[in-house]
Amino acid sequence: MNPAPAVLFDRDGTLVEDVPYNGDPERVRPMPGAVEALALLRRHDFALGVVSNQSGIARGLLTHGQVDAVNARVEKLLGPFDVWEICPHGPADGCPCRKPAPGLVRSAAERLGVPAGRCVVIGDIGADVEAALGAGARAVLVPTPVTRAEEVDAAPVVAPDLLSAVRLVVAYFDLDRRGQTVEAGRPA
């Protein structure tokens, strides 16, 4: 029997509104549909995680404590996550965990005890998709105004909003659980 699947979310622009280098928990606002999307996944027994670049730490704009406080606020508003993976490095640091590298996704999958192939990463930019695919996971892109057209074009699956993305994932794994053939690499 396959282990329960997992959904790994980008934080800013996917689960919560993107406030650049936010260190203030009071500025956290869930994205439309986030509460409903997470409730749906919890009802279907998915493991849940967050994989987030937080280069503001490396840039001296945020402290680890501020990031932890914002993450705690996210959990207060959206419920608990099984794992948080945060990369505090900057783009020039060459860190193997910083998206688009696959390190955060691989680490989250390992900590959850779920093979990367049974994980789906939902994010709002191409780096989220690249990290997922590089780790052997599936990916769903939910574009926002900052998502570039070429990122949308390159994504294997695009959903118009977070709740739609989660519905695709649930439907995909429902077919998988029933032993029906689904196209490899696509969560819908």
Side-chain angles (χ1 to χ4, degrees), residues 30-92:
M31 290 295 283
V35 171
E36 296 85 356
L38 290 164
L40 178 60
L41 290 169
R42 289 180 179 114
R43 282 195 307 274
H44 286 269
D45 298 320
F46 282 80
L48 301 176
V50 177
V51 290
S52 181
N53 289 345
Q54 293 297 319
S55 68
I57 296 171
R59 298 170 198 258
L61 302 171
L62 294 170
T63 66
H64 283 279
Q66 287 173 308
V67 171
D68 290 345
V70 167
N71 293 343
R73 177 71 174 166
V74 171
E75 286 204 330
K76 182 175 182 180
L77 296 172
L78 298 177
F81 290 88
D82 300 303
V83 65
W84 285 82
E85 286 290 331
I86 305 298
C87 176
H89 303 104

Side-chain angles (χ1 to χ4, degrees), residues 13 47 58 67 83 92 110 117 147 154 164 176:
V67 171
V83 65
E110 184 177 314
T147 311
S164 297
D176 180 63

Side-chain angles (χ1 to χ4, degrees), residues 119-153:
C119 295
V120 178
V121 176
I122 298 177
D124 66 318
I125 60 172
D128 300 317
V129 172
E130 289 179 51
L133 299 179
R138 292 168 174 84
V140 180
L141 183 71
V142 180
T144 65
V146 302
T147 311
R148 297 189 322 262
E150 59 269 20
E151 293 173 325
V152 175
D153 293 342

Side-chain angles (χ1 to χ4, degrees), residues 17-43:
E17 292 177 5
D18 187 6
V19 177
Y21 309 113
N22 183 23
D24 181 359
E26 294 305 313
R27 296 183 72 193
V28 173
R29 302 282 180 272
M31 290 295 283
V35 171
E36 296 85 356
L38 290 164
L40 178 60
L41 290 169
R42 289 180 179 114
R43 282 195 307 274

Side-chain angles (χ1 to χ4, degrees), residues 53 85-107 127 130-132 134-135:
N53 289 345
E85 286 290 331
I86 305 298
C87 176
H89 303 104
D93 293 341
C95 174
C97 67
R98 181 178 168 73
K99 296 181 289 181
L104 289 176
V105 176
R106 286 183 180 145
S107 181
E130 289 179 51

